[in-house]
């Protein structure tokens, strides 16, 4: 399925060049570790050569053939969740070079990822081609949740051609792209595509996996306090002190 390329009623333009120097990509934490371990110049080469603020044409083609993605979110306290999203090739829609969207269907009713997005719009998406290119693509940005009807009205045609019996999106996650960059192939295993029947939209517990890990009925350690992040205690002494000074 080809990536969706609409004529948007309100086209977005790239920001005007600024005379002020651009901020280095990445977090304060990674910069501190780069300084501590002497990798700042190597990191800067990666930032300069690979990190972009939009989806380049080859990235758009890559996204258009992906059948799954790993989606990372966190709540207002920084507590994280990582979830798998999957579908037919093209289920992640590139709306323009600065925007992509993916559908959300009826699930277990927990809304872990969507709940995090309501508190904290930061999102990280990792797509990996395990079969052909053996390469990955990171997309980081700001997400918002849009009702299906509102999404179809705002982006006519973007949701079409993907509805599957029992699988109609209830809402969409629209992501404003802030960073897009490669994930190297060094440790990506090669996998083989197989034909498999998928029970799209099923509510049969057995077909969904049931209690695969035997969690039902086991006790919770409810007395254990939950630690709130961020924390610097897991870093080496130099990086930890650097962060605390900032």
């Amino acid at each position: 399925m080809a990536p969706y390329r609409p004529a948007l009623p309100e086209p977005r333009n790239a920001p005007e060049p600024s005379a002020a120097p651009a901020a280095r990509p990445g977090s304060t934490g990674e910069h501190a570790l780069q300084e501590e371990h002497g990798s700042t110049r190597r990191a800067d080469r990666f930032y300069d050569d690979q990190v972009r603020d939009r989806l380049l044409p080859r990235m758009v083609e890559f996204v258009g053939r992906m059948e799954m993605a790993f989606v990372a979110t966190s709540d207002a306290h920084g507590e994280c969740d990582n979830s798998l999203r999957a579908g037919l090739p093209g289920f992640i829609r590139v709306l323009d070079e600065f925007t992509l969207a993916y559908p959300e269907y009826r699930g277990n009713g927990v809304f872990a990822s969507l709940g995090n997005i309501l508190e904290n719009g930061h999102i990280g998406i990792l797509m990996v081609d395990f079969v052909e290119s053996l390469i990955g693509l990171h997309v980081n940005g700001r997400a918002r949740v849009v009702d299906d009807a509102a999404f179809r009205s705002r982006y006519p045609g973007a949701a079409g051609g993907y509805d599957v019996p029992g699988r109609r999106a209830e809402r969409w996650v629209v992501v404003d792209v802030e960073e897009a960059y490669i994930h190297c192939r060094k440790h990506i295993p090669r996998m083989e595509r197989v034909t498999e029947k998928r029970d799209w939209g099923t509510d049969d517990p057995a077909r969904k996996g049931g209690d695969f890990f035997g969690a039902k009925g086991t006790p919770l350690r409810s007395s254990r306090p939950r630690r709130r992040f961020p924390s610097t205690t897991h870093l080496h002494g130099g990086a930890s002190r650097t962060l605390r000074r900032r």
Side-chain angles (χ1 to χ4, degrees), residues 89-194:
F91 84 101
I92 302 177
R93 299 302 178 103
V94 176
L95 305 177
D96 61 40
E97 62 183 335
F98 300 105
T99 320
L100 58 76
Y102 63 85
E104 286 282 344
Y105 300 95
R106 183 176 180 272
N108 58 14
V110 174
F111 297 108
S113 297
L114 296 185
N116 285 345
I117 290 171
L118 291 183
E119 293 187 34
N120 176 358
H122 293 289
I123 190 170
I125 302 174
L126 173 61
M127 292 161 274
V128 182
D129 182 352
F130 293 100
V131 178
E132 298 177 10
S133 305
L134 296 186
I135 210 74
L137 175 66
H138 292 267
V139 177
N140 299 328
R142 299 280 299 188
R144 59 191 185 276
V145 182
V146 180
D147 179 77
D148 181 60
F151 180 82
R152 290 171 186 261
S153 175
R154 175 66 180 85
Y155 301 102
Y162 183 67
D163 290 333
V164 176
R167 294 274 291 182
R168 166 133 182 177
E170 294 183 347
R171 54 195 61 84
W172 293 74
V173 174
V174 180
V175 179
D176 294 325
V177 176
E178 295 179 343
E179 292 182 336
Y181 57 92
I182 194 172
H183 185 100
C184 77
R185 62 167 48 98
K186 185 164 59 174
H187 299 296
I188 295 177
R190 181 176 293 278
M191 298 185 182
E192 182 178 350
R193 184 183 302 280
V194 298

Side-chain angles (χ1 to χ4, degrees), residues 65-80:
R65 57 186 175 85
M66 289 296 99
E67 298 180 63
M68 66 177 180
F70 303 96
V71 177
T73 59
S74 66
D75 65 16
H77 299 287
E79 295 191 0
C80 301

Side-chain angles (χ1 to χ4, degrees), residues 106 165-167 199-204:
R106 183 176 180 272
R167 294 274 291 182
D199 295 307
W200 296 113
T202 183
D203 275 327
D204 182 341

